[in-house]
Amino acid sequence: MSLNQNPEQRARDRIDRKLIECGWLIQDKKNMSLRASLGVAVREYPTDTGPADYMLFVDREPVGIIEAKREEEAQRLSVAEEQSAEYATATIKHLGQKRIPFVYESTGIVTRFTNANDPKPRSRGDFCI
């Protein structure tokens, strides 16, 4: 990790490490192949509301969004829920309108999670990616 990285890049590096530890294959949108692994995390995946920091695919189907935030925003991470929810209901480039059930906000240290399949969806804290 470079000392010259900005806080956002440090958070993404931590998130990348956690995703890899959990078995996700991380790809950039320019070189993505959803067939490369059962679980693929694509960085900066385009939606009609802007690029999602990470779009999670399982067996080529979008199932989750991760909104990366700086470590300094950990205490206010629930504020990012609105932005994450917009991505979860957005039109996804090349895939059209899809309902994304799993939404995460993460600094790479602190992670919050919302399951849209829950009868009363709400953000939960201290969740590990």
Side-chain angles (χ1 to χ4, degrees), residues 3 18 29 44 56 58 90 99 104-105 113 122 126:
L3 295 174
K18 288 185 179 225
K29 68 179 177 187
E44 299 297 320
L56 305 176
V58 173
R99 183 177 160 273
Y104 303 83
E105 297 84 27
F113 167 72
R122 63 203 173 282
D126 298 326

Side-chain angles (χ1 to χ4, degrees), residues 29-48:
K29 68 179 177 187
K30 292 179 182 177
N31 301 314
M32 71 177 208
S33 171
L34 298 181
R35 295 182 186 274
S37 180
L38 180 62
V40 177
V42 180
R43 292 184 192 109
E44 299 297 320
Y45 199 91
T47 75
D48 66 349

Side-chain angles (χ1 to χ4, degrees), residues 20-69:
I20 290 167
E21 287 172 6
C22 292
W24 291 91
L25 176 65
I26 301 172
Q27 299 180 342
D28 292 319
K29 68 179 177 187
K30 292 179 182 177
N31 301 314
M32 71 177 208
S33 171
L34 298 181
R35 295 182 186 274
S37 180
L38 180 62
V40 177
V42 180
R43 292 184 192 109
E44 299 297 320
Y45 199 91
T47 75
D48 66 349
T49 61
D53 291 330
Y54 296 84
M55 180 76 66
L56 305 176
F57 292 86
V58 173
D59 199 18
R60 298 183 306 277
E61 287 295 317
V63 297
I65 298 278
I66 301 174
E67 178 59 29
K69 294 295 182 189

Side-chain angles (χ1 to χ4, degrees), residues 60-62 87-92 94-101:
R60 298 183 306 277
E61 287 295 317
Y87 292 136
T89 58
T91 299
I92 303 167
H94 308 298
L95 300 172
Q97 184 69 39
K98 298 279 186 180
R99 183 177 160 273
I100 308 296

